[in-house]
Amino acid sequence: MDPNGEIVEEAEEDNGFRRFDVVSDDSDHHYVKLNRTANSDADCFSNAASGVYSKIMQEWKILEKNLPDSIFVRVYERRIDLLRAVIVGAVGTPYHDGLFAFDLAFPPDYPAHPPQVHYRSFGLRLNPNLYANGRVCLSLLNTWVGRKKEKWDPSQSTVLQVLVSLQGLVLNEKPYFNEPGHGVLPGRSLWEKNSMAYSETVFALSCKTMLFMLRKPPKNFEALIAAHFRDRALFILEACNAYTDGRVKVGYYRGDGSSSSSSSSSSSTVHVSHTFKTSMQKVFPDLVHTFTRNGASLGNFVEQVKQDRKKASSQTQAAVHKKQGIAIKFISKLKMILGLKKSRKSNGVVGSTANNRTEIEG
């Protein structure tokens, strides 16, 4: 039920989590202290007769009826100026199966100005438009340059457009090209190579974001996050292996070892950087452990992690023994050299003394 006493329609995902709902706990919202100063215009958010209040109620209705299956929104009964959204990363992108949380705040003069948007980054930057400090750069929010038709239009723009833009334009197939200047100059093959390397980094950071979301889920989304990763855990781990082994380009795994894009051939091995392999070797065991604790059934992946750890331990011991052997050989050789020098020096002293005695006797 919204502040006007109207029943909110139940828009639900397969796991039973409503895509839109009104909640009460806003305690961990990024903008919870905004619009609450003594000199603020906060009355516009509590006065049902105000234009701002009416416009926000319209936004609620638009979201209730039109949210896509992969975007979830929570609004607050006592703070209609705040909103939180969680977006599912789209198939065919390095963000696939990830969950990305955004906190929004309506300004007192809404819709004259767009809402403020903060990305819950956990200190990670996995997109040119999403900064580690939570800043979101998007033309529709007037936080980035763009043509007039791409900017916020008080008469037409909506929060739904903002959320769909974040999913489709920001968390896209090739985020490397979101950076101004990338791909502008000639040299397509080099740009594509750089884009693939960037997507590797993005996927590794997306996996880390999954861990953070499970360990410290944003309030009112705990059930969604837990259910989502229980359902998608196996697919995510299969994708990790497919990308690390070079069977599929990062972002294009579709569940049968093949690619979801015609531009990504699965008939030949894809080049995988050492940096990506190292990153995945570190994050993969954490994913398995965290997914297991979350209740996912992971089949052979738990055993894979155990075998990988044994192999890594054996390799480490072998490397240590090799270094120790090299060190022992070096020390032995050094001792031999020093011993030889000492022997020669002693012989030299004895010979010199004998000669001196001969000269004196003579």
Side-chain angles (χ1 to χ4, degrees):
M1 183 174 293
D2 68 19
N4 291 328
E6 298 182 8
I7 301 297
V8 175
E9 295 180 8
E10 294 188 5
E12 297 186 355
E13 193 196 36
D14 291 340
N15 60 26
F17 191 83
R18 295 179 181 178
R19 288 196 292 277
F20 180 91
D21 204 359
V22 183
V23 295
S24 57
D25 190 354
D26 56 24
S27 58
D28 70 331
H29 198 283
H30 180 75
Y31 296 109
V32 70
K33 296 182 179 179
L34 192 68
N35 298 327
R36 284 303 186 221
T37 60
N39 297 322
S40 72
D41 298 321
D43 287 347
C44 65
F45 300 119
S46 57
N47 182 3
S50 74
V52 174
Y53 189 102
S54 298
K55 181 61 179 177
I56 293 176
M57 289 301 104
Q58 289 177 19
E59 293 282 9
W60 284 22
K61 291 178 180 179
I62 292 172
L63 293 169
E64 286 175 40
K65 297 178 180 179
N66 300 288
L67 277 174
D69 293 344
S70 52
I71 298 179
F72 300 83
V73 169
R74 292 294 177 266
V75 293
Y76 304 90
E77 58 185 354
R78 291 189 297 270
R79 291 292 305 272
I80 71 163
D81 58 315
L82 304 181
L83 180 150
R84 172 170 289 166
V86 166
I87 297 174
V88 183
V91 175
T93 75
Y95 303 99
H96 71 77
D97 294 294
L99 295 179
F100 307 93
F102 297 85
D103 285 354
L104 284 71
F106 294 99
D109 61 351
Y110 190 78
H113 290 91
Q116 296 184 59
V117 181
H118 174 84
Y119 168 58
R120 296 175 69 88
S121 71
F122 302 102
L124 306 174
R125 188 177 184 188
L126 43 61
N127 189 284
N129 298 75
L130 305 176
Y131 286 73
N133 64 1
R135 176 177 168 80
V136 177
C137 287
L138 188 66
S139 299
L140 187 56
L141 296 174
N142 295 343
T143 54
W144 189 247
V145 294
R147 290 171 290 182
K148 185 176 181 180
K149 65 179 182 179
E150 298 171 340
K151 294 281 192 175
W152 180 263
D153 183 348
S155 65
Q156 296 183 7
S157 300
T158 66
V159 170
L160 179 62
Q161 289 176 347
V162 171
L163 299 179
V164 171
S165 295
L166 287 171
Q167 184 181 54
L169 300 180
V170 175
L171 303 172
N172 61 29
E173 179 184 4
K174 297 181 179 181
Y176 175 78
F177 295 106
N178 287 14
E179 190 70 47
H182 286 181
V184 175
L185 299 175
R188 179 178 176 80
S189 60
L190 178 60
W191 290 120
E192 288 295 335
K193 182 179 179 181
N194 291 341
S195 176
M196 287 178 60
Y198 187 79
S199 290
E200 288 182 342
T201 300
V202 165
F203 182 75
L205 292 177
S206 179
C207 289
K208 290 183 179 180
T209 302
M210 296 176 193
L211 295 173
F212 282 118
M213 289 289 276
L214 278 165
R215 292 168 183 170
K216 193 177 180 180
K219 289 184 182 296
N220 305 301
F221 285 88
E222 296 91 342
L224 170 68
I225 293 167
H228 173 80
F229 286 119
R230 275 196 300 271
D231 180 53
R232 302 301 296 169
L234 271 175
F235 184 91
I236 293 167
L237 295 176
E238 289 172 356
C240 289
N241 280 344
Y243 300 150
T244 304
D245 295 343
R247 286 181 277 128
V248 184
K249 283 184 181 180
V250 169
Y252 298 118
Y253 183 72
R254 66 182 184 188
D256 57 0
S258 60
S259 167
S260 63
S261 170
S262 59
S263 64
S264 177
S265 173
S266 59
S267 61
S268 59
T269 302
V270 177
H271 172 73
V272 182
S273 70
H274 176 72
T275 299
F276 179 67
K277 287 183 178 180
T278 301
S279 296
M280 296 311 298
Q281 285 172 358
K282 292 179 180 178
V283 76
F284 189 85
D286 288 339
L287 285 173
V288 172
H289 175 71
T290 305
F291 287 162
T292 301
R293 290 189 62 183
N294 186 50
S297 179
L298 301 182
N300 296 326
F301 284 110
V302 175
E303 185 62 27
Q304 176 187 330
V305 170
K306 290 180 180 178
Q307 293 301 322
D308 288 345
R309 284 176 176 170
K310 287 182 181 179
K311 183 178 179 181
S313 178
S314 299
Q315 291 175 341
T316 301
Q317 291 178 0
V320 170
H321 291 157
K322 184 177 180 181
K323 289 181 180 179
Q324 288 176 340
I326 294 173
I328 291 171
K329 288 181 181 179
F330 175 77
I331 293 172
S332 298
K333 190 171 183 180
L334 184 62
K335 285 181 177 179
M336 184 182 71
I337 294 172
L338 292 175
L340 182 61
K341 286 184 177 181
K342 185 176 181 181
S343 175
R344 287 178 177 175
K345 186 175 182 181
S346 298
N347 292 336
V349 170
V350 171
S352 177
T353 302
N355 291 334
N356 290 339
R357 285 178 179 174
T358 302
E359 290 177 0
I360 291 171
E361 290 176 356

